[in-house]
Amino acid sequence: FFAAVLLLAGCREKKTVEEALLPSARYHYVEVDTAKLARSHLVYVPIYSEIYDLSGHHRQSLTATLSVRNAHVRDTMYVHEINYFDSQGKQLRSYLKKDIMLLPLEAAEFVVEHKEKEGGVGACFVVHWSTDSEYLQSVIQAVMLSTLGQQGISFLSEGVTVETTRR
């Protein structure tokens, strides 16, 4: 009996790197013609994959979770691109291969893992999303956190719309 429990415990599915970076249970992948949607937005979200601690000579790594939320109760939003850039503006990663649809009040999360060292203190996400609604608002935030022993740090970063296109 004990051997069977150990065997079953060792058979847990291991997540691929892509699954670990896309932790939402399900994404609604769609094909959408952005030219037919009423509004398109680019949102800049500061990310801190590391922060300086103590004397400023040491860095502490953080895990960052980007949360993209459809804050409307009736309308749908479409997310086309989620790109991650380092402190020098070099694109490190693209999180989406296809557009995703967020239904009313739905959210999707994307992770920069604790071990990621390239982004640095000035890293960011750029999120491209669109909608057919004139009234839909998104809430796009990042939560950064780290723990070391019994100490922990966490903070929130708000996304800022840097470009809006109306059709």
Side-chain angles (χ1 to χ4, degrees):
F1 173 75
F2 184 67
V5 170
L6 285 176
L7 180 62
L8 288 175
C11 290
R12 282 189 187 157
E13 280 188 49
K14 291 191 177 188
K15 287 188 171 186
T16 66
V17 172
E18 185 170 296
E19 289 172 327
L21 301 178
L22 306 172
S24 292
R26 290 181 205 98
Y27 294 100
H28 306 286
Y29 292 103
V30 295
E31 289 187 25
V32 62
D33 183 358
T34 57
K36 294 182 180 178
L37 298 173
R39 290 186 308 142
S40 180
H41 303 272
L42 280 181
V43 178
Y44 172 91
V45 187
I47 295 293
Y48 301 86
S49 63
E50 298 178 314
I51 56 171
Y52 292 100
D53 62 5
L54 302 174
S55 66
H57 296 290
H58 296 81
R59 292 182 182 193
Q60 180 173 342
S61 294
L62 302 169
T63 299
T65 302
L66 176 74
S67 178
V68 179
R69 298 169 182 256
N70 178 352
H72 202 277
V73 295
R74 286 184 291 283
D75 292 323
T76 300
M77 73 182 276
Y78 301 92
V79 182
H80 311 292
E81 293 180 88
I82 296 182
N83 297 320
Y84 177 60
F85 297 85
D86 69 10
S87 297
Q88 286 72 45
K90 176 185 167 199
Q91 184 174 332
L92 299 176
R93 188 180 296 159
S94 180
Y95 280 76
L96 294 180
K97 294 177 184 169
K98 291 179 71 176
D99 296 343
I100 60 171
M101 175 177 63
L102 292 179
L103 299 171
L105 303 178
E106 189 174 17
E109 301 81 33
F110 306 88
V111 174
V112 177
E113 64 278 21
H114 185 264
K115 66 183 178 187
E116 192 277 326
K117 303 286 186 212
E118 295 179 73
V121 177
C124 70
F125 277 106
V126 175
V127 179
H128 175 214
W129 69 274
S130 59
T131 182
D132 230 358
S133 169
E134 281 296 317
Y135 306 105
L136 188 140
Q137 293 294 315
S138 65
V139 176
I140 302 177
Q141 303 170 314
V143 177
M144 279 69 57
L145 66 93
S146 181
T147 57
L148 184 60
Q150 294 183 352
Q151 299 293 319
I153 182 172
S154 64
F155 53 97
L156 181 75
S157 178
E158 296 282 345
V160 177
T161 300
V162 293
E163 186 177 302
T164 298
T165 305
R166 297 184 192 285
R167 293 185 175 79

